[in-house]
Amino acid sequence: MVYDVIIIGGGPGGYVAALRAAKNGKKTALVEADHLGGTCLNRGCIPSKTLLKHAEVIESIEKAKSWGIHTGELTFSLKEMLARKDQVIETLRTGIQFLLKKGQIDVYNGYGTIHSDKTVSVQAKEQSQKIQGEKIIIATGSQPVVPPIPGIDEVNYHTTDTIFDIEKIPQSIVIVGGGVIGVEFANIFASLQTKVTIVELGDRIIPTEDEDASKALLSNLKKKGIQVLTKHQVAAIAENEAGKSVSIITDNGTEETLVVDDILLAVGRKPNVSAGAELNLKMNGPHIEVDDYLETSVQGVFAVGDVIGGLQLAHVASAEGLTSVANLDIKQKRMDYTVIPRCIYTNPQVASVGMSEVELKQKGIVYKAHQYSFAGNGKALAMGETEGFSKVFIDEKYGEILGVVMVGAHVTEMISQSSAYLYLEGTVDELAQMVQPHPALSEVLMESANALIGKGIHS
């Protein structure tokens, strides 16, 4: 079978690209070895956010006691929570299948391998078939990194792929890695009354985000009883009748051992690049190198999502998938990564867009910043969600908005407003004049903007 475009990988980069290509009149094939939806739907964004919602509800019930709302003893069923998680996943999988069928996209179940003549072998169990594509998009995603910790091969542990099918709630767990995934799971397990310890090699959690955001989140994690060990390295892991022992070393050489019920490795992900191995593609470290239009070093072969590195986020992969389709016939569209929001779904949440304060300093940009706390926001007080802040960075000369960081309730929804301002090259004056509803959490943006131009009302 000959296609205009073959897409390898049915995750958020691949299936979205397939749907757009089909709507553009392209005869399209999608190759996927596992479930449609990729890591995001099946082992990432969706199941984790479902469980995080469960955690949020549990925390809300506990908080409600101080408001005069009393319930009986709080109990929860992991089996029922995981069943709901599976139901959410299956609903979305079915939706993707429907859309692909509606778009008359041929779906091949199996592992795809690209050959130099632009044919793709699809290997499914013991059967193999070949299809031909004029253009090919690699969207094969990534998989968890398992660090070479001594003893790890002799111990049962979880990765961020397997943790969603955990059979029982552990009394204690060590999470190796204090990045986005690590802190999200720390929130989930803490709400389930698990004793959680995060071991992070760097000097702070969520090291890729704003330092003030990191401090705020750290403070909240500690309030929940989560132990956070920064500047610590896991030296060895072992397992015996007492449990799993995790030996950790500080940066000054002090060693201690934790004995826990379970271990979660959340130290990052590595790209799945085997689909294009025969093409001898130019690489950027472990990732496939692409040009500004997402084309690889082989003409007619594009790559999107985690396989090319950068911001390894589902919405980035989808945007790259759409961009690659726009460039199939003529190179006309580039990705603009400066306006893409970055979100952490802890409680409180963390969201940011544009340049961070570290980037601004590194680039020598003269900027002004203002930070406004949710503690002075009427809606936040009414909700009992006063933790967090908004911080706005602007160019000192022209007032152009360069970046925004938010920590607090529902900021992952509000950050899109800031993204729009960056996309439209908006100024702080425009943000200050924007009338926000009252009471609303988004008023913190207006307050920061007005303070930056010397017209602050509540600051």
Side-chain angles (χ1 to χ4, degrees):
M1 185 71 73
V2 179
Y3 294 93
D4 295 323
V5 58
I6 299 172
I7 298 157
I8 305 176
Y15 87 79
V16 167
L19 292 170
R20 176 60 59 84
K23 286 188 177 182
N24 287 352
K26 303 287 187 184
K27 185 174 177 59
T28 305
L30 180 65
V31 179
E32 172 55 54
D34 201 350
H35 294 294
L36 291 169
T39 296
C40 173
L41 172 53
N42 299 289
R43 301 174 299 280
C45 319
I46 300 303
S48 66
K49 276 56 188 178
T50 305
L51 296 179
L52 280 162
K53 180 60 182 179
H54 297 167
E56 181 187 338
V57 171
I58 291 170
E59 290 180 23
S60 295
I61 292 171
E62 293 287 354
K63 184 186 293 184
K65 293 176 183 178
S66 64
W67 299 351
I69 302 170
H70 302 285
T71 62
E73 181 184 358
L74 176 63
T75 62
F76 34 79
S77 165
L78 179 64
K79 182 179 179 181
E80 291 178 45
M81 286 190 283
L82 293 180
R84 178 175 178 269
K85 176 263 298 181
D86 291 339
Q87 182 184 34
V88 170
I89 292 171
E90 187 56 38
T91 299
L92 291 170
R93 278 183 194 158
T94 302
I96 294 172
Q97 290 169 350
F98 170 78
L99 291 171
L100 294 171
K101 184 177 181 180
K102 182 181 176 182
Q104 298 182 322
I105 296 163
D106 292 339
V107 178
Y108 292 85
N109 298 115
Y111 290 93
T113 301
I114 310 167
H115 306 293
S116 58
D117 60 356
K118 298 284 179 67
T119 60
V120 174
S121 296
V122 182
Q123 183 70 45
K125 293 183 179 179
E126 297 180 356
Q127 295 182 340
S128 180
Q129 57 184 316
K130 274 192 176 184
I131 53 179
Q132 179 86 38
E134 181 182 341
K135 301 290 173 64
I136 296 172
I137 300 173
I138 302 171
T140 44
S142 61
Q143 58 184 299
V145 170
V146 177
I149 301 171
I152 197 166
D153 293 335
E154 285 76 48
V155 174
N156 291 316
Y157 59 86
H158 283 287
T159 69
T160 51
D161 274 2
T162 65
I163 191 66
F164 296 104
D165 296 316
I166 195 168
E167 294 181 353
K168 67 176 183 178
I169 300 171
Q171 290 186 329
S172 57
I173 189 169
V174 162
I175 298 176
V176 184
V180 174
I181 300 174
V183 296
E184 286 187 354
F185 272 105
N187 269 254
I188 292 170
F189 280 109
S191 73
L192 300 176
Q193 300 176 4
T194 298
K195 183 180 179 181
V196 180
T197 301
I198 297 174
V199 180
E200 167 58 39
L201 183 61
D203 60 359
R204 62 185 177 94
I205 58 171
I206 55 170
T208 58
E209 290 299 333
D210 181 82
E211 188 170 355
D212 287 333
S214 178
K215 290 178 181 177
L217 187 53
L218 175 63
S219 174
N220 183 268
L221 293 175
K222 288 182 176 180
K223 287 179 185 177
K224 294 175 180 177
I226 298 169
Q227 183 181 26
V228 180
L229 303 176
T230 54
K231 296 183 180 179
H232 282 65
Q233 182 176 5
V234 177
I237 296 175
E239 187 169 8
N240 53 40
E241 293 180 358
K244 299 178 173 94
S245 62
V246 182
S247 298
I248 55 177
I249 302 175
T250 65
D251 60 345
N252 61 13
T254 305
E255 186 172 351
E256 62 179 301
T257 299
L258 302 174
V259 179
V260 294
D261 292 333
D262 228 326
I263 298 168
L264 169 61
L265 302 180
V267 295
R269 301 182 66 86
K270 59 182 179 182
N272 298 322
V273 297
S274 60
E278 293 186 18
L279 300 180
N280 293 317
L281 297 170
K282 189 175 182 181
M283 305 295 287
N284 179 17
H287 300 96
I288 297 172
E289 184 173 304
V290 293
D291 63 15
D292 290 344
Y293 304 93
L294 302 174
E295 190 173 31
T296 70
S297 56
V298 174
Q299 188 175 5
V301 178
F302 296 76
V304 303
D306 286 4
V307 290
I308 66 172
L311 291 173
Q312 295 184 334
L313 304 169
H315 51 285
V316 174
S318 293
E320 289 171 342
L322 297 177
T323 299
S324 67
V325 171
N327 294 324
L328 290 177
D329 295 325
I330 180 172
K331 291 186 174 182
Q332 58 181 326
K333 187 177 180 181
R334 294 180 173 89
M335 281 290 299
D336 182 1
Y337 295 100
T338 64
V339 299
I340 292 176
R342 307 177 297 277
C343 300
I344 304 173
Y345 295 85
T346 45
N347 185 18
Q349 299 176 349
V350 179
S352 56
V353 67
M355 284 188 279
S356 67
E357 195 156 12
V358 170
E359 288 178 287
L360 290 167
K361 290 177 179 177
Q362 288 176 342
K363 294 181 179 181
I365 296 173
V366 181
Y367 69 95
K368 290 172 64 178
H370 185 270
Q371 185 169 313
Y372 186 84
S373 171
F374 273 108
N377 178 270
K379 182 67 177 294
L381 282 163
M383 293 169 60
E385 300 282 2
T386 55
E387 284 188 88
F389 59 84
S390 72
K391 187 195 290 188
V392 178
F393 305 108
I394 64 167
D395 169 69
E396 191 172 74
K397 185 175 182 180
Y398 299 107
E400 182 180 348
I401 299 169
L402 302 174
V404 176
V405 178
M406 303 186 78
V407 178
H410 307 299
V411 296
T412 58
E413 303 292 336
M414 286 187 285
I415 198 65
S416 294
Q417 184 179 140
S418 300
S419 297
Y421 274 98
L422 263 71
Y423 182 79
L424 298 171
E425 298 181 353
T427 67
V428 66
D429 295 273
E430 291 167 328
L431 179 57
Q433 292 177 46
M434 177 73 179
V435 179
Q436 303 284 348
H438 177 78
L441 297 173
S442 60
E443 289 178 281
V444 295
L445 289 170
M446 181 179 67
E447 293 287 354
S448 288
N450 275 285
L452 281 166
I453 60 174
K455 296 181 180 180
I457 304 297
H458 299 97
S459 58

